Amino acid sequence: MSAPHSTSQIRVRYGETDQMGVAYHANYLVWCEIGRTDLIRSLGPSYAEMEQQGLRLAVAEASVRYRAPARYDDVLSVETRLEKVQSRFVTFAYRVLLDEPAGPGDAGTLLATATTVLVALDDQGRTRVMPGHVREIFEQLAVRT
Amino acid sequence: MSAPHSTSQIRVRYGETDQMGVAYHANYLVWCEIGRTDLIRSLGPSYAEMEQQGLRLAVAEASVRYRAPARYDDVLSVETRLEKVQSRFVTFAYRVLLDEPAGPGDAGTLLATATTVLVALDDQGRTRVMPGHVREIFEQLAVRT
Amino acid sequence: MSAPHSTSQIRVRYGETDQMGVAYHANYLVWCEIGRTDLIRSLGPSYAEMEQQGLRLAVAEASVRYRAPARYDDVLSVETRLEKVQSRFVTFAYRVLLDEPAGPGDAGTLLATATTVLVALDDQGRTRVMPGHVREIFEQLAVRT
Amino acid sequence: MSAPHSTSQIRVRYGETDQMGVAYHANYLVWCEIGRTDLIRSLGPSYAEMEQQGLRLAVAEASVRYRAPARYDDVLSVETRLEKVQSRFVTFAYRVLLDEPAGPGDAGTLLATATTVLVALDDQGRTRVMPGHVREIFEQLAVRT
């Protein structure tokens, strides 16, 4: 991911830790969504209009590989990249890095990688083809990254 | 709370613990909502119809006193009682008890008490008076407990 | 998964929904953990002893395929199966089914499938080989399912 | 709260919304903790040392008044003030304000107020008196706000 399009900073919350003393694994999906949202926000008003026209993107697949634990108060960075655009699907890839460790740990350590596939839904929750201009927006984003 | 109307059982999830090794404090509000939902469900279809008529109940105030920690895998019981009914508000009271400790701890220990005040909203999110028949349902519930 | 070893029932909580009106996707990892915990609990005291001897199982990989949404108050069943045992890793597979729909929806609908790979860690958080008797316990579980 | 000591910015996450289309009420306790942590972090290394000496602060009481809903993608500010210091307890007060509304809504709107009482615990989880120098640190913070 030499040219991540979007980098989001996240500080690990106390409530995100578990009794093993590290960030609970389900939170990584929440952090990836923050990365994805930040990336999509960079599309500007186009996306909000898209939602108003009844297009929704829902998570159809998610996978995470955990490499090293995140700890309370660590500052993480989530790099998000748009990996693939299809007529009904958009695939995002993520790298979660330790940016500023709160305790021992090396800045820059890769903590996790993840991918999510999102599916385009209409306002009834049925799979649909993305409108041409929406697909184009995503394709430009994929090219730029 | 000699005659709790509803008792809900909850097993503490791993993801609900924090690095202090106990259940994170914000989860008690989630558990109280489970108790409240179970109590309201006992009202039968009346409540679902109520929602279809555009009445919503939103949390306007919440307070919790934490007395002893809950731990991973403990089975808790949440006793929920309807405490007060007003034209626009309904007050619920809760007792969270240790039912089956997973480790050391005494069954029956009171872990927390809580109250929440719910406000009736219309489908635009504005405060509204509850319809007479809804208020009556809640009042009977308050009497019975 | 013709012979799931463990089936766990879960009722979707209000706080688990998001503004799309369905259960938020990260919660499926929490539900899978409940299934896994229930399965592991069936191992009896052996597992608790294992933890006391400093062995931990941490999630190393997780993937979920979302097929149909879960909604508030739906009762779900999570079927958990132990799929593979290696010297340092244990793989679990899950099926999340709609057991009792709260609204429209068909009981028995497959909502999601998932797998998680857990890695054995020592009490310093380093990868370790599982002790022989622990591996045997897991292997018997894998055979029985 | 004319002189809040600490102001924390929080953007409402998608997973923090519920099916009513607003931020789920239990999250406000999480946000208050972020405010409290930011305030305590400003104490510098003293607090970390305090923890190493076996002093913990656990939430003993929490109460929230919800005035207006927060919505997805809204940027909130949490103002945290240290309200009272006693030998075993520290009381924090919070104001959650709408800082940058993502949709309709007025910047500066007060969304919620809250207070939490924290109790000093030793490393066995028993209530204890705070060491004199820790109490002094908190008292200076209370004076300064």
mmCIF file of all heavy atoms in Angstrom, chain D residues 70-86:
data_model
loop_
_atom_site.group_PDB
_atom_site.id
_atom_site.type_symbol
_atom_site.label_atom_id
_atom_site.label_comp_id
_atom_site.label_asym_id
_atom_site.label_seq_id
_atom_site.Cartn_x
_atom_site.Cartn_y
_atom_site.Cartn_z
ATOM 1 N N ALA D 70 -27.261 13.202 19.421
ATOM 2 C CA ALA D 70 -26.090 13.317 18.549
ATOM 3 C C ALA D 70 -26.323 12.371 17.384
ATOM 4 O O ALA D 70 -26.987 11.341 17.538
ATOM 5 C CB ALA D 70 -24.827 12.924 19.307
ATOM 6 N N ARG D 71 -25.819 12.730 16.215
ATOM 7 C CA ARG D 71 -26.033 11.922 15.023
ATOM 8 C C ARG D 71 -24.711 11.506 14.399
ATOM 9 O O ARG D 71 -23.679 12.095 14.660
ATOM 10 C CB ARG D 71 -26.879 12.695 14.009
ATOM 11 C CG ARG D 71 -28.289 12.957 14.523
ATOM 12 C CD ARG D 71 -29.125 13.811 13.597
ATOM 13 N NE ARG D 71 -30.253 14.374 14.329
ATOM 14 C CZ ARG D 71 -31.356 13.698 14.620
ATOM 15 N NH1 ARG D 71 -31.498 12.449 14.222
ATOM 16 N NH2 ARG D 71 -32.332 14.262 15.318
ATOM 17 N N TYR D 72 -24.800 10.494 13.552
ATOM 18 C CA TYR D 72 -23.625 9.985 12.857
ATOM 19 C C TYR D 72 -22.821 11.111 12.211
ATOM 20 O O TYR D 72 -23.403 11.969 11.555
ATOM 21 C CB TYR D 72 -24.055 8.993 11.776
ATOM 22 C CG TYR D 72 -22.935 8.626 10.844
ATOM 23 C CD1 TYR D 72 -21.763 8.069 11.332
ATOM 24 C CD2 TYR D 72 -23.030 8.867 9.478
ATOM 25 C CE1 TYR D 72 -20.714 7.761 10.496
ATOM 26 C CE2 TYR D 72 -21.998 8.546 8.626
ATOM 27 C CZ TYR D 72 -20.833 8.002 9.138
ATOM 28 O OH TYR D 72 -19.798 7.699 8.309
ATOM 29 N N ASP D 73 -21.528 11.091 12.447
ATOM 30 C CA ASP D 73 -20.590 11.991 11.793
ATOM 31 C C ASP D 73 -20.575 13.392 12.405
ATOM 32 O O ASP D 73 -19.752 14.221 12.010
ATOM 33 C CB ASP D 73 -20.887 12.081 10.288
ATOM 34 C CG ASP D 73 -19.604 12.027 9.463
ATOM 35 O OD1 ASP D 73 -18.581 11.584 9.989
ATOM 36 O OD2 ASP D 73 -19.640 12.430 8.288
ATOM 37 N N ASP D 74 -21.467 13.660 13.357
ATOM 38 C CA ASP D 74 -21.375 14.919 14.098
ATOM 39 C C ASP D 74 -20.032 14.968 14.824
ATOM 40 O O ASP D 74 -19.569 13.947 15.348
ATOM 41 C CB ASP D 74 -22.467 14.994 15.192
ATOM 42 C CG ASP D 74 -23.846 15.354 14.654
ATOM 43 O OD1 ASP D 74 -23.961 15.779 13.487
ATOM 44 O OD2 ASP D 74 -24.829 15.200 15.416
ATOM 45 N N VAL D 75 -19.432 16.126 14.875
ATOM 46 C CA VAL D 75 -18.259 16.300 15.732
ATOM 47 C C VAL D 75 -18.740 16.927 17.038
ATOM 48 O O VAL D 75 -19.408 17.961 17.034
ATOM 49 C CB VAL D 75 -17.189 17.179 15.067
ATOM 50 C CG1 VAL D 75 -15.996 17.375 16.009
ATOM 51 C CG2 VAL D 75 -16.729 16.557 13.755
ATOM 52 N N LEU D 76 -18.419 16.255 18.132
ATOM 53 C CA LEU D 76 -18.843 16.703 19.457
ATOM 54 C C LEU D 76 -17.635 17.240 20.215
ATOM 55 O O LEU D 76 -16.503 16.848 19.947
ATOM 56 C CB LEU D 76 -19.416 15.534 20.250
ATOM 57 C CG LEU D 76 -20.426 14.637 19.525
ATOM 58 C CD1 LEU D 76 -20.877 13.512 20.461
ATOM 59 C CD2 LEU D 76 -21.616 15.456 19.050
ATOM 60 N N SER D 77 -17.890 18.107 21.172
ATOM 61 C CA SER D 77 -16.821 18.415 22.119
ATOM 62 C C SER D 77 -17.297 18.050 23.505
ATOM 63 O O SER D 77 -18.447 18.295 23.866
ATOM 64 C CB SER D 77 -16.372 19.868 22.014
ATOM 65 O OG SER D 77 -17.396 20.729 22.374
ATOM 66 N N VAL D 78 -16.420 17.422 24.249
ATOM 67 C CA VAL D 78 -16.716 17.042 25.629
ATOM 68 C C VAL D 78 -15.860 17.921 26.529
ATOM 69 O O VAL D 78 -14.630 17.877 26.458
ATOM 70 C CB VAL D 78 -16.379 15.556 25.885
ATOM 71 C CG1 VAL D 78 -16.658 15.190 27.340
ATOM 72 C CG2 VAL D 78 -17.158 14.661 24.943
ATOM 73 N N GLU D 79 -16.521 18.751 27.322
ATOM 74 C CA GLU D 79 -15.808 19.588 28.295
ATOM 75 C C GLU D 79 -15.812 18.852 29.631
ATOM 76 O O GLU D 79 -16.871 18.483 30.126
ATOM 77 C CB GLU D 79 -16.514 20.930 28.464
ATOM 78 C CG GLU D 79 -16.527 21.772 27.195
ATOM 79 C CD GLU D 79 -17.321 23.060 27.385
ATOM 80 O OE1 GLU D 79 -17.906 23.234 28.487
ATOM 81 O OE2 GLU D 79 -17.375 23.879 26.444
ATOM 82 N N THR D 80 -14.636 18.658 30.193
ATOM 83 C CA THR D 80 -14.539 17.916 31.443
ATOM 84 C C THR D 80 -13.948 18.800 32.530
ATOM 85 O O THR D 80 -12.963 19.510 32.298
ATOM 86 C CB THR D 80 -13.628 16.684 31.267
ATOM 87 O OG1 THR D 80 -14.104 15.938 30.163
ATOM 88 C CG2 THR D 80 -13.631 15.817 32.512
ATOM 89 N N ARG D 81 -14.551 18.741 33.679
ATOM 90 C CA ARG D 81 -14.118 19.560 34.802
ATOM 91 C C ARG D 81 -14.016 18.679 36.035
ATOM 92 O O ARG D 81 -14.859 17.796 36.232
ATOM 93 C CB ARG D 81 -15.163 20.664 35.040
ATOM 94 C CG ARG D 81 -14.750 21.745 35.981
ATOM 95 C CD ARG D 81 -15.702 22.938 35.864
ATOM 96 N NE ARG D 81 -17.078 22.555 36.108
ATOM 97 C CZ ARG D 81 -17.708 22.749 37.272
ATOM 98 N NH1 ARG D 81 -17.079 23.283 38.303
ATOM 99 N NH2 ARG D 81 -18.968 22.399 37.416
ATOM 100 N N LEU D 82 -13.001 18.873 36.840
ATOM 101 C CA LEU D 82 -12.890 18.142 38.103
ATOM 102 C C LEU D 82 -13.690 18.936 39.136
ATOM 103 O O LEU D 82 -13.378 20.085 39.417
ATOM 104 C CB LEU D 82 -11.423 18.037 38.498
ATOM 105 C CG LEU D 82 -11.111 16.877 39.440
ATOM 106 C CD1 LEU D 82 -9.635 16.588 39.413
ATOM 107 C CD2 LEU D 82 -11.576 17.186 40.841
ATOM 108 N N GLU D 83 -14.725 18.323 39.667
ATOM 109 C CA GLU D 83 -15.661 19.087 40.477
ATOM 110 C C GLU D 83 -15.376 19.025 41.962
ATOM 111 O O GLU D 83 -15.576 19.995 42.690
ATOM 112 C CB GLU D 83 -17.079 18.584 40.208
ATOM 113 C CG GLU D 83 -18.132 19.579 40.613
ATOM 114 C CD GLU D 83 -19.483 19.206 40.047
ATOM 115 O OE1 GLU D 83 -20.149 18.297 40.587
ATOM 116 O OE2 GLU D 83 -19.872 19.814 39.034
ATOM 117 N N LYS D 84 -14.933 17.848 42.415
ATOM 118 C CA LYS D 84 -14.770 17.693 43.868
ATOM 119 C C LYS D 84 -13.733 16.616 44.144
ATOM 120 O O LYS D 84 -13.663 15.619 43.437
ATOM 121 C CB LYS D 84 -16.110 17.297 44.490
ATOM 122 C CG LYS D 84 -16.145 17.447 45.997
ATOM 123 C CD LYS D 84 -17.562 17.447 46.567
ATOM 124 C CE LYS D 84 -18.321 16.158 46.274
ATOM 125 N NZ LYS D 84 -19.599 16.095 47.008
ATOM 126 N N VAL D 85 -12.923 16.828 45.159
ATOM 127 C CA VAL D 85 -11.918 15.838 45.566
ATOM 128 C C VAL D 85 -12.157 15.501 47.032
ATOM 129 O O VAL D 85 -12.266 16.402 47.870
ATOM 130 C CB VAL D 85 -10.482 16.390 45.403
ATOM 131 C CG1 VAL D 85 -9.457 15.293 45.702
ATOM 132 C CG2 VAL D 85 -10.279 16.936 44.012
ATOM 133 N N GLN D 86 -12.304 14.237 47.323
ATOM 134 C CA GLN D 86 -12.431 13.779 48.703
ATOM 135 C C GLN D 86 -11.322 12.757 48.957
ATOM 136 O O GLN D 86 -10.561 12.423 48.050
ATOM 137 C CB GLN D 86 -13.813 13.146 48.904
ATOM 138 C CG GLN D 86 -14.948 14.172 48.815
ATOM 139 C CD GLN D 86 -16.276 13.512 48.499
ATOM 140 O OE1 GLN D 86 -16.493 13.100 47.353
ATOM 141 N NE2 GLN D 86 -17.127 13.379 49.489
#
